[in-house]
Amino acid sequence: MVSRRLSRLEGHRRKFMAVIDDTPECMRAVHYAGMRAKNSNGGLVLLYVIANGDFQHWLGVEEIMRAEAREEAETTLAKIAQEVRETVGIEPEAVIREGSATEEIHGLIEEDRDIAILVLAAGSAKDGPGPLVSSIAGKAAAFPIPVTVIPDALTDEEIDALA
């Protein structure tokens, strides 16, 4: 059960969340979420999740790897945030978490009660639509807010027309 969303109350605004990862379709979700946020006077949250399973080494090596992963996350988010500013014209919020993507998405949704819609993009590669899109079909993810899935084949112009 998710906490009541506050986005419709005075002083709040509906936020769209896009998860940033290394999939090629990720930017489709970001563009759609950004345009929906702009067109509805809402906000955009960009979530980057660093998988915590990547740091199973000796303490010194683990700290270096964690710092490198955080730096990569910050660089990626800064680049995508700049692209959103230039193409969509809004200022996104950037959030970095460490852990399981599904758990961190749930956690952020629970913490930020203005997040009302999760936007994902489905890949068209032969290995499937992507791990997050695949997870919404199973009981493991069952996100507590509406999920919009964008086909990766849409162009920016097509997304603009839909958003």
Side-chain angles (χ1 to χ4, degrees):
M1 181 85 181
V2 70
S3 298
R4 183 170 173 255
R5 303 290 87 194
L6 303 176
S7 57
R8 294 287 183 197
L9 299 178
E10 188 174 332
H12 294 269
R13 64 185 183 151
R14 179 173 55 174
K15 294 180 184 177
F16 295 80
M17 181 169 61
V19 179
I20 307 304
D21 56 23
D22 59 358
T23 60
E25 63 270 10
C26 167
M27 289 307 294
R28 303 291 82 219
V30 169
H31 189 78
Y32 180 83
M35 290 304 295
R36 287 284 292 133
K38 179 181 179 179
N39 292 338
S40 66
N41 221 11
L44 172 62
V45 177
L46 304 175
L47 172 64
Y48 189 110
V49 179
I50 301 168
N52 61 0
D54 295 344
F55 310 116
Q56 305 289 329
H57 303 283
W58 296 291
L59 186 60
V61 174
E62 177 182 339
E63 289 174 9
I64 292 169
M65 290 178 72
R66 184 171 271 119
E68 288 174 350
R70 179 114 185 142
E71 184 177 326
E72 179 184 333
E74 290 170 354
T75 301
T76 300
L77 280 173
K79 178 182 171 189
I80 292 173
Q82 182 60 33
E83 188 168 328
V84 168
R85 284 184 211 101
E86 292 172 1
T87 60
V88 179
I90 63 171
E91 184 64 40
E93 296 176 41
V95 178
I96 299 173
R97 296 286 181 95
E98 186 178 316
S100 154
T102 302
E103 289 174 12
E104 295 305 324
I105 291 168
H106 279 275
L108 186 55
I109 290 168
E110 184 61 28
E111 289 170 27
D112 187 342
R113 294 172 55 196
D114 288 338
I115 297 173
I117 298 175
L118 172 61
V119 179
L120 302 174
S124 56
K126 62 182 175 185
D127 54 337
L132 287 175
V133 173
S134 295
S135 73
I136 62 174
K139 293 179 183 173
F143 296 110
I145 59 175
V147 178
T148 301
V149 180
I150 306 302
D152 73 338
L154 293 178
T155 66
D156 284 351
E157 294 77 22
E158 291 168 327
I159 288 174
D160 293 349
L162 292 169

